[in-house]
Each structure stands twice: as structure tokens, then as C-alpha cells.
Amino acid sequence: MSDRTTRPVPPRTAIPGERLPLGALLALATAAFITVLTETLPAGVLPAMSAGLGVSESATGQLVTVYAIGTAVSAIPLSAATAGWPRKRLLLSGVAGFAVANTVTAVSASFPLTLVARFVAGVAAGVVWALLAGYARRLAPAHLQGKAMAIVMAGIPAALSLGVPAGTFAGGALGWRVTFWAMTAIAAVLLAWIAALVPDHPGQRAGGRPPLLRTLTVPGVAPVLLVTLLFVLAQTILYTYVATLLNANGMGEAVDLVLLIFGVASLASIWLVGAHIDRRLRPLTIAAVVLVAVAAAVLAVAARNPVLVYAAAGLWGLGWGGVPTLLQTAAGDAGGEAADTAQAALVTLWNAAMAAGGAVGGVLLGLFGTGAFAWSTLALLAPTLAAVLLARHHAFPPHRLT
């Protein structure tokens, strides 16, 4: 067995004056941008896609759901199956999957074919998400890994705050198919960018990656996954139905501004987390939960007050923006030799929580009305905060061991 396993690559040591490989990290950030934008773009062009495909808007909305399902069901098995692949080849394969899926979406006149393309895009996302965090960490010395992760994860709020509005505008002006062709073009450019600037790293030989069940027993991994499940579920319920909540409280015309404030604050959060995560992972995670909870509380009791709603959107973005970086860093630190498997499990739970959040929110709306969104978010954030506070030894320690 020993000749078929490899020891994990030790953290790179610091070199005086060494800088982060920004070209490579920005390529990974663009991969994250494409992943999120491909997932959420149908929501911005929903009426036009519905008309173009000849199905109802509710059916067209399932294009987002099937993407999340593709990611959730593929992340762990594909991560295990491709563990031995060189990291660069695997990343190129995932981005190529986006190019193919978005091209099919752009030309398809068949709703079933479009569903298949969206599922394939979700599978590509499962590959990319399970890869990005570990890749970013391997490109940086140990003392700069948090900053490297923050740069890569900046692609998420950039897609939500800039990409989706731009795609929605382009879809309205030029047609929704053009937006998916644009996504294909971005993926093609990214393929060349990765090939030119991103260093390769070897995968693991057969037997080198711990199985999932053993990974779950590694101290700290299970608490990180629990926090991920609860936090993402809480966030998704509120974010998915924020327009519905604002409409019901007479602020329907302010949805774009609220989301813009949220997006800008999220970008600021990414910067703050990147600057401090290598020394303050635990307090940053606690602050993230508290800020989102305060925002939800304001929306629960004062959703008709524009000033307080805008303030809540800012606090919400400041809390949420850095969460992907925080949780993926925590999973990587806790996982140790099983970091890649822990990341794949995190990606699976993240997307399962996103898919569940939309469904749970719909049930809450039907049973209790829009007032239930913020209160249910608060109810989920209470055990989230408790889990972070209790997991101080391995999952969210006071000091990162680098």
C-alpha cells in the first residue's frame, strides 16, 4: 500500500519579500465568478427565457434548481474519482464544461435539452468548487493562504453584485441567448488564461485521499460542515425571497438598490476577511453570524423603513461576503490531510442547502407569509452561532496553525 500513496504536500514556507501569484489567483477568482454567474443568470432573464423556451416561469426557475442538484450530487464522487488528476487539467476540464453547457443553453430551443445542459453545468461547478480552495492554498505560502483564498472567493460577490445585473441588462437589450454566448466567450478566454498563468500541482495517487466517512471523524470537520449547512440555509431563505419581502412592505421599487448595497458591502467584507483571516478566523466567523442576524432582525421588525432596510442590507453584506472564504479556510485547516475531501463535502452541503432554501422559503411563504423569512433566518442563525462558539478547539480556533 505504501508505494501507492503520497504524503500531502507540506505548506510552502515563506520567502522574504515573496508576493502572491496574482495572475493565477485572479484566474481562479474568474472561475468562481463564472460558476456563480452561470448558476444565477437565469433568474435575471427569467421572463425572456420562459417565452423563448415555451414554458412557464415557474418551470424556467427550475433551471437554477437543477444546476444546484448537479453540483450537490457530483462534488463528492467526482472529487474522489479525479483525486489523482493534475490540478490544472482538472480545472481546465471544469471550465470547459461551463463553455459547453452555456453554448448548448444559448442555442437550445428545447426545454428538456436546456435542463440537461444546466445539469452538466452544475456538474462542472461541482468539479470547480471542490478544487478552488485547495488550489488557492497550494499557490500561497502558509502565512498568506487566507489572503489567497479571499482573492479567489471575491469572484462570488463580484458575480452577484456586478455580473447578474450586467447579464440582466444585456439580456433585456440584446436577448437572453446573447448573455449565455457571452458566458461561453468568458470561459474560452479563461481557458487560455489558466493554460498560460496557473501553475500545475499534482493530484493524489490511489489511496492518498481519505474516504468521506473517515474525513467526517477528523476533529473539527463535522462542526464546520454543520455551520455551513445552517448558515447557507438561513442565507438562502432570506436572499432568495428578499424581493418578495420588500414588495410586501411597499419597497418593491428599491430591490435593485438594496441588492447593490448588499453587493458593495459584500466586496468590502471580502477585503476585510482577506486582510485579517490568517490571524482572526474565529472572531471573523462569529462577527459574520452576528451581522447577518442583526440584519435579519431589522428586516423582521422594520422592513417598511427605507433607511433601516438600507442599513440592514449593508450589515448583511458585511456579514455574508467573507463567509465562503471563512468556511472553506476552516474546512481546509480542520481537514489537514483530508482537506480536499472536506472541501468536497462542504461544496455538497452548500449546494444542498441552497436548493433546500428555495423550497423551504416557498413553504414558509405559503403557510405564514413574507414575515416568516427574516424570523426563520434568525431561528437558524442561533444554532449556527452556538456551533461556532462551541467549536473553539479544532474547527474555529482562536489562532490558526500555519
Side-chain angles (χ1 to χ4, degrees), residues 36-242:
V36 174
L37 188 52
T38 298
E39 178 173 20
T40 55
L41 189 55
V45 293
L46 193 65
M49 282 194 79
S50 171
L53 295 171
V55 296
S56 68
E57 291 189 18
S58 61
T60 306
Q62 302 313 305
L63 295 175
V64 177
T65 302
V66 76
Y67 182 106
I69 292 172
T71 303
V73 302
S74 66
I76 290 176
L78 277 182
S79 179
T82 59
W85 286 30
R87 301 294 90 182
K88 187 170 182 174
R89 183 173 70 171
L90 185 57
L91 179 60
L92 288 169
S93 298
V95 175
F98 286 125
V100 171
N102 284 322
T103 298
V104 172
T105 303
V107 302
S108 172
S110 165
F111 183 65
L113 177 60
T114 305
L115 280 174
V116 172
R118 294 289 298 172
F119 183 83
V120 170
V123 171
V127 170
V128 172
W129 276 134
L131 174 69
L132 282 180
Y135 215 151
R137 291 164 67 89
R138 290 169 183 167
L139 290 174
H143 73 293
L144 293 176
Q145 285 179 349
K147 289 183 174 62
M149 285 278 295
I151 291 170
V152 172
M153 292 301 120
I156 298 174
L160 293 174
S161 61
L162 303 176
V164 174
T168 301
F169 176 80
L174 303 172
W176 66 270
R177 296 185 187 277
V178 173
T179 63
F180 284 96
W181 277 118
M183 293 300 299
T184 297
I186 295 172
V189 171
L190 181 58
L191 287 170
W193 186 357
I194 293 169
L197 292 182
V198 178
D200 199 5
H201 283 275
Q204 294 176 308
R205 295 180 184 176
R209 172 175 292 191
L212 176 61
L213 291 179
R214 182 148 57 91
T215 299
L216 295 178
T217 66
V218 175
V221 170
V224 173
L225 296 180
L226 175 62
V227 169
T228 299
L229 179 64
L230 294 172
F231 208 165
V232 175
L233 182 59
Q235 158 71 13
T236 303
I237 290 171
L238 191 57
Y239 186 84
T240 301
Y241 293 95
V242 66

Side-chain angles (χ1 to χ4, degrees), residues 5-33:
T5 62
T6 59
R7 295 181 180 273
V9 179
R12 289 176 48 206
T13 56
I15 299 173
E18 183 180 15
R19 296 181 178 179
L20 289 170
L22 284 180
L25 292 173
L26 289 174
L28 299 187
T30 304
F33 176 89

